[in-house]
């Protein structure tokens, strides 16, 4: 029998690569070196996007083959004979042993919300180089480590939430602070993500039809898998075929009665999303959440893979320079220097605290074996890395004048004139033609990143198929694709939020924390959905206030969650006797702490009113005191002043809470590493499972 490379062993018992494998991986490393050199050293001349694709795929392959293998074997020391919570606590509702690729689909769909699409697009104002380097380095050495570490910790602790684990391993005070912080941040995040979905699907019957169709398709898939009589492959084929049909069927409903019924405004859509979030939170995970996220993953990965192939096929030139002059903080898309705001703007594609809530929420309750942490925790993160790279390429392959015009507000004449003055020529006629090509009335001021990515994606696809008239079709497909991305984050996030709320309620009255009680589950779900639903409703009915006012602090809050998670991870590694490897958590922790604290401080105290909350409020108060503006303008200014003070308070509170948790964690590190004390490790008792035949 021929041995595979994994079966060849050294004298120490570790896997040894065959000569052919060594040669193959050497070629991959050389390709990475060549492509990275071209990307980094090119100055003054445009480069081909294919070099970015090659570099990214090489990083993906090398990281998964070598870094993830080392991380799982040496740092985490996975034990495949140890029963996971899905096996030891199986209840058919929340704890369900699930096929690893279904879990991968659920996990990837849950973590890959708008972040890997919108963040890199917005950060393109700095040029393609800062964002690309942060995505590739941050995702492998930061995000993949962060996600795998928290997933491992939760699996070893019966699927406990981040706050519960901080309480057990760091201390009661730190745990309470962590739990309050995560619930508060999650409420805001889900509300804003829901608002993005509302804006994308409002007055869009095609998009809404396709999104609605995924629900019954997923439930049929869930029933088939649960029965045990249908193979996962057959279920997957059914889901993909039905999804493709629903995408095309969405176009066919035009002119029918369904078009009128599905043409909804913001308020009814908001109520519908609240209802969906509630159902996703309380229904058995196998019935809706896991199969729907698995189904969504096909569309997500399929569309991104198509985009990658299209980029290779077309080999488009990157028109955005490697570095723009806006690295100094004068960017027209958003204020702030490349440090720290590039690393705040790009979160999910590199490292994101929200991932810790999924890795300690739904996913650890589904994994059948510890070895699946490598595929799900590490693999999903670096797959999301590739999504972020594709989004960055789509934005940077556009003409810079169009990119900046889409992301700036004002009249067409004002915006095009200002962008041209910045050194990126664009005309009103050019932007009018772009709007006509994608079937929109205007593309000026379509800020937020999603429309920019949709335009870039539509242009690449229409060029591949040599049919420029189809650009509007591809544009609306991309908008729907992004809405589907975000919605799968909302359903998983709401279920995770329910777990967190039950943790809090259980400390007040124990029966409310019982996840096996339908009454407790419904009570916590209604409470959590009502919390984010209130902010969503305010954002829909009040475009000048509500949740929109909290957009600037999302990046800071999200990365602060990652700081909490990495602090926990470092504590657990030291307690496990893995102090020699604790740098894998300390390195991204130190970086994120410096980034988030710098960004938070600047958002509060910066003198530039475009950047600092307090300076913006002060400037508006001066206008009001001087008697400037009409009564309507004064009313808006007063509301904006209030919003800036809210932003200041929320940002400051989050920073203080996280510093308290880091301080409590640092005390544990000092006691163990300097004082030599043995602090207890709170893992569930080991339950062994039978080896697979």
């Amino acid at each position: 029998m021929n041995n595979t490379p994994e079966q060849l062993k050294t004298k120490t018992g570790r896997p040894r690569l065959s000569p052919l494998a060594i040669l193959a991986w050497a070629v991959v490393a050389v390709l990475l070196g060549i492509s990275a050199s071209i990307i980094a050293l090119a100055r003054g001349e445009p480069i081909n996007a294919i070099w970015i694709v090659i570099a990214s795929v090489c990083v993906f392959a090398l990281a998964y083959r070598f870094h993830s293998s080392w991380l799982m074997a040496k740092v985490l020391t996975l034990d495949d004979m140890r029963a996971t919570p899905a096996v030891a606590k199986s209840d058919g509702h929340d704890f369900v042993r699930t096929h690893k690729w279904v879990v991968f689909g659920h996990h990837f769909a849950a973590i890959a919300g708008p972040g890997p699409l919108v963040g890199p697009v917005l950060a393109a104002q700095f040029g393609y180089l800062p964002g690309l380097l942060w995505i590739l380095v941050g995702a492998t050495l930061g995000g993949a480590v962060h996600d795998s570490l928290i997933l491992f910790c939760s699996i070893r602790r019966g699927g406990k939430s981040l706050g519960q684990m901080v309480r057990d391993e760091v201390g009661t005070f730190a745990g309470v602070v962590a739990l309050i912080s995560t619930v508060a941040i999650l409420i805001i995040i889900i509300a804003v993500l829901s608002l993005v979905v509302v804006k994308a699907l409002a007055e869009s019957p095609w998009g809404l039809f396709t999104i609605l169709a995924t629900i019954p398709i997923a439930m049929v898939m869930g029933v088939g898998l649960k029965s045990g009589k249908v193979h996962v492959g057959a279920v997957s084929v059914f889901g993909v075929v039905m999804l493709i049909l629903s995408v095309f069927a969405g176009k066919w409903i035009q002119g029918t009665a369904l078009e009128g019924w599905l043409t909804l405004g913001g308020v009814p859509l908001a109520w519908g999303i609240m209802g969906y979030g509630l159902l996703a939170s309380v229904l058995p995970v196998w019935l809706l959440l896991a199969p729907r996220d698995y189904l969504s993953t096909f569309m997500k990965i399929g569309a991104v893979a198509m985009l990658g192939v299209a980029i290779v096929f077309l080999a488009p030139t990157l028109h955005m320079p490697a570095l723009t002059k806006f690295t100094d903080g004068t960017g027209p898309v958003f204020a702030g220097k490349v440090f720290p705001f590039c690393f705040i703007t790009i979160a999910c594609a590199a490292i994101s605290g929200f991932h810790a809530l999924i890795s300690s929420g739904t996913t650890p309750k589904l994994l059948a074996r510890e070895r699946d942490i490598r595929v799900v925790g590490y693999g999903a993160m670096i797959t999301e890395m590739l999504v972020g790279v594709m989004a960055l390429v789509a934005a940077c392959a556009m003409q810079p004048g169009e990119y900046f015009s889409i992301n700036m507000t004002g009249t067409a004449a004002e915006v095009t004139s200002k962008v041209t003055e910045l050194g990126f020529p664009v005309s009103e006629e050019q932007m009018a033609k772009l709007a006509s090509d994608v079937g929109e009335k205007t593309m000026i001021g379509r800020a937020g990143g999603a429309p920019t990515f949709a335009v870039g994606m539509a242009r690449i696809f229409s060029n591949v198929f040599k049919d420029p008239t189809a650009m509007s079709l591809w544009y609306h497909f991309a908008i729907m694709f992004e809405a589907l991305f975000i919605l799968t984050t909302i359903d998983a996030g709401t279920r995770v939020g329910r777990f967190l709320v039950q943790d809090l309620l259980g400390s007040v009255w124990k029966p409310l924390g019982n996840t096996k009680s339908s009454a407790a589950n419904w009570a916590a779900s209604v409470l959590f959905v009502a919390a984010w639903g209130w902010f969503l409703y305010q954002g829909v009915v009040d475009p000048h206030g509500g949740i929109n006012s909290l957009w600037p602090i999302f990046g800071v809050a999200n990365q602060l969650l990652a700081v909490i998670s990495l602090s926990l991870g470092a504590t657990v590694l030291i307690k496990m006797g893995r102090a020699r490897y604790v740098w894998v958590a300390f390195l991204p922790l130190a970086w994120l702490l410096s980034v988030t604290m710098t960004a938070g401080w600047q958002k509060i105290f910066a003198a530039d009113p475009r950047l600092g909350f307090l300076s913006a409020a002060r400037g508006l108060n001066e206008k009001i005191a001087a008697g400037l503006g009409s009564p309507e303008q004064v009313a808006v200014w007063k509301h904006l002043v209030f919003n800036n003070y809210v932003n200041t308070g929320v940002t400051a509170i989050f920073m203080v809470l996280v510093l308290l948790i880091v301080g409590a964690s640092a005390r544990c590190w000092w006691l163990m590493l300097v004082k030599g004390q043995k602090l207890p490790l709170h893992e569930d008792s080991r339950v062994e499972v039978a080896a697979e035949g």
Side-chain angles (χ1 to χ4, degrees):
M1 181 178 69
N2 293 327
N3 288 328
T4 66
E6 294 296 332
Q7 291 170 324
L8 296 173
K9 301 287 184 178
T10 64
K11 292 181 179 180
T12 60
R14 289 178 290 185
R16 183 180 64 193
L17 293 175
S18 68
L20 184 60
I22 293 173
L23 178 61
W25 286 113
V27 171
V28 173
V30 170
L31 280 175
L32 174 58
I34 293 172
S35 55
S37 298
I38 292 173
I39 294 167
L41 299 178
R43 291 292 182 273
E45 70 279 352
I47 70 164
N48 199 295
I50 197 169
W51 293 114
I52 288 182
V53 175
I54 292 173
S56 303
V57 171
C58 289
V59 169
F60 176 94
L62 290 167
Y64 188 78
R65 172 59 185 86
F66 296 102
H67 184 237
S68 72
S69 178
W70 172 81
L71 183 68
M72 303 303 150
K74 291 295 184 181
V75 181
L76 303 183
T77 58
L78 302 184
D79 181 358
D80 218 31
M81 296 305 297
R82 182 183 181 123
T84 63
V87 176
K89 296 186 175 184
S90 179
D91 60 8
H93 192 273
D94 290 320
F95 295 85
V96 181
R97 179 173 178 165
T98 308
H99 192 281
K100 68 178 179 180
W101 291 114
V102 176
V103 183
F104 175 90
H106 155 70
H107 186 79
F108 176 77
I111 65 173
L117 299 177
V118 175
V121 169
L122 295 178
Q125 80 161 0
F126 296 126
Y128 64 79
L129 189 57
L132 178 64
L133 293 177
W134 171 232
I135 290 172
L136 296 181
V137 176
T140 51
L141 299 184
V145 172
H146 167 275
D147 294 10
S148 301
L149 186 54
I150 296 304
L151 182 55
F152 168 79
C153 289
S154 186
I155 284 177
R156 285 287 177 94
R157 288 155 183 79
K160 285 184 177 179
S161 69
L162 179 63
Q164 287 179 307
M165 292 190 292
V166 172
R167 180 184 59 202
D168 292 343
E169 303 296 347
V170 181
T172 303
F173 173 75
V176 172
V177 172
L179 199 54
I180 293 172
S181 301
T182 52
V183 170
I185 293 173
L186 190 57
I187 287 171
I188 302 302
I189 289 175
I190 294 181
V192 173
L193 295 182
S194 301
L195 183 58
V196 173
V197 174
V198 169
K199 297 297 183 183
L201 297 180
E203 312 300 330
S204 177
W206 181 3
L208 182 58
F209 174 85
T210 303
I211 296 299
L212 289 174
T214 61
I215 298 175
I217 294 172
M219 295 180 78
V220 171
M221 292 172 64
V223 172
L225 288 171
K226 182 66 175 176
S227 70
K229 298 178 181 179
V230 186
H231 190 269
V232 66
V235 171
S236 302
V237 171
F238 166 80
V240 171
V241 171
M242 294 303 295
L243 179 61
I244 293 173
L245 289 177
S246 68
V247 172
F248 281 99
K251 182 177 176 62
W252 298 335
I253 68 171
Q254 294 180 359
T256 68
L258 274 176
E259 182 179 15
W261 296 339
L262 296 177
T263 303
L264 302 180
V267 172
L269 277 174
W271 284 108
I273 290 175
M274 291 181 218
Y276 171 74
L278 182 62
L279 288 176
S281 176
V282 297
L283 287 177
V285 70
W286 59 265
L287 180 60
L288 177 59
L289 187 67
R292 188 190 179 282
D293 290 354
Y294 178 59
L295 177 64
S296 300
T297 297
F298 282 109
M299 184 174 182
K300 294 175 180 181
I301 295 180
V304 172
M306 285 174 57
L307 183 58
V309 171
I311 291 171
V312 172
F313 179 76
L314 287 177
T317 297
L318 297 184
H319 297 290
M320 189 71 73
L323 293 169
T324 68
K325 61 183 179 181
F326 305 127
T327 56
D328 64 358
T330 60
V333 177
F334 60 90
K337 295 182 179 181
V338 66
F339 179 87
F341 289 98
C342 177
F343 312 101
I344 292 299
T345 304
I346 300 178
C348 291
I351 183 169
S352 168
F354 177 75
H355 294 189
L357 302 183
I358 305 301
S359 295
S360 63
T362 50
T363 302
K365 299 175 177 64
L366 302 176
L367 277 188
R369 295 281 191 179
E370 282 196 359
R371 66 170 176 241
D372 295 341
I373 293 175
R374 185 185 182 192
V375 171
V376 176
Y378 197 103
M381 178 62 243
I382 59 174
T383 301
E384 188 173 3
M385 171 188 77
L386 295 182
V387 175
V389 170
M390 295 303 109
L392 182 67
V393 169
C396 293
M398 296 175 60
Q399 291 294 333
E402 293 181 356
Y403 167 84
F404 287 111
S405 296
I406 292 174
N407 289 284
M408 293 172 61
T409 58
T411 65
E414 292 171 345
V415 170
T416 54
S417 175
K418 184 174 181 180
V419 172
T420 300
E421 290 175 3
L422 290 172
F424 304 103
V426 65
S427 66
E428 291 184 63
E429 294 75 19
Q430 183 178 345
M431 293 305 298
K433 183 179 185 306
L434 176 62
S436 175
D437 289 344
V438 300
E440 296 287 344
K441 293 181 179 179
T442 180
M443 290 303 296
I444 298 287
R446 300 295 297 272
T452 307
F453 174 76
V455 168
M457 186 174 178
R459 180 160 286 161
I460 290 172
F461 281 156
S462 62
N463 287 337
V464 168
F465 296 100
K466 304 299 182 183
D467 185 8
T469 60
M471 190 166 170
S472 61
L473 175 68
W474 286 114
Y475 174 82
H476 286 94
F477 169 82
I479 289 292
M480 178 198 61
F481 162 75
E482 291 177 284
L484 192 61
F485 244 78
I486 300 168
L487 200 59
T488 50
T489 303
I490 293 170
D491 56 26
T494 300
R495 197 175 188 94
V496 170
R498 188 253 288 180
F499 294 144
L500 295 174
V501 170
Q502 286 189 274
D503 290 343
L504 281 173
L505 295 178
S507 62
V508 178
W509 188 39
K510 194 171 183 179
L512 291 176
N514 183 10
T515 58
K516 295 183 179 180
S517 166
S518 296
N521 291 347
W522 274 96
S525 297
V526 169
L527 185 61
F528 186 71
V529 171
W532 65 255
W534 184 86
F535 285 105
L536 168 62
Y537 183 81
Q538 295 304 315
V540 170
V541 300
D542 182 7
H544 295 293
I547 197 62
N548 287 323
S549 65
L550 297 178
W551 264 108
I553 64 171
F554 283 167
V556 175
N558 187 49
Q559 301 301 61
L560 285 174
L561 267 180
V563 171
I564 296 173
S565 306
L566 289 166
S567 297
L568 168 68
T571 305
V572 170
L573 287 178
I574 297 172
K575 286 186 174 185
M576 290 177 65
R578 306 279 190 276
R580 61 184 295 192
Y581 298 119
V582 76
W583 61 267
V584 301
F586 276 160
L587 187 64
L589 169 60
W591 172 255
L592 283 184
L593 194 60
S594 64
V595 165
T596 51
M597 290 301 150
T598 302
W601 183 270
Q602 290 184 9
K603 291 301 298 181
I604 295 174
F605 297 109
D608 183 355
R610 293 180 61 238
L611 181 59
F613 297 138
L614 293 179
S615 60
R618 187 163 51 250
L620 292 170
N621 278 328
E622 289 173 355
K623 287 184 178 181
I624 296 171
L628 302 176
S630 64
E632 292 79 12
Q633 286 178 311
V634 170
V636 171
W637 291 344
K638 288 182 178 179
H639 199 85
L640 291 175
V641 168
F642 175 78
N643 288 343
N644 278 293
Y645 286 142
V646 169
N647 288 346
T648 299
V650 171
T651 303
I653 289 171
F654 283 155
M655 291 170 67
V656 170
L657 291 176
V658 171
L659 286 176
L660 288 174
I661 296 169
V662 173
S665 301
R667 177 180 175 275
C668 293
W669 307 335
W670 182 75
L671 289 175
M672 290 184 289
L673 297 177
V674 179
K675 291 294 186 178
Q677 291 189 19
K678 296 284 187 180
L679 299 184
L681 180 69
H682 296 82
E683 284 187 352
D684 284 2
S685 299
R686 186 180 187 278
V687 177
E688 190 166 302
V689 294
E692 292 181 349

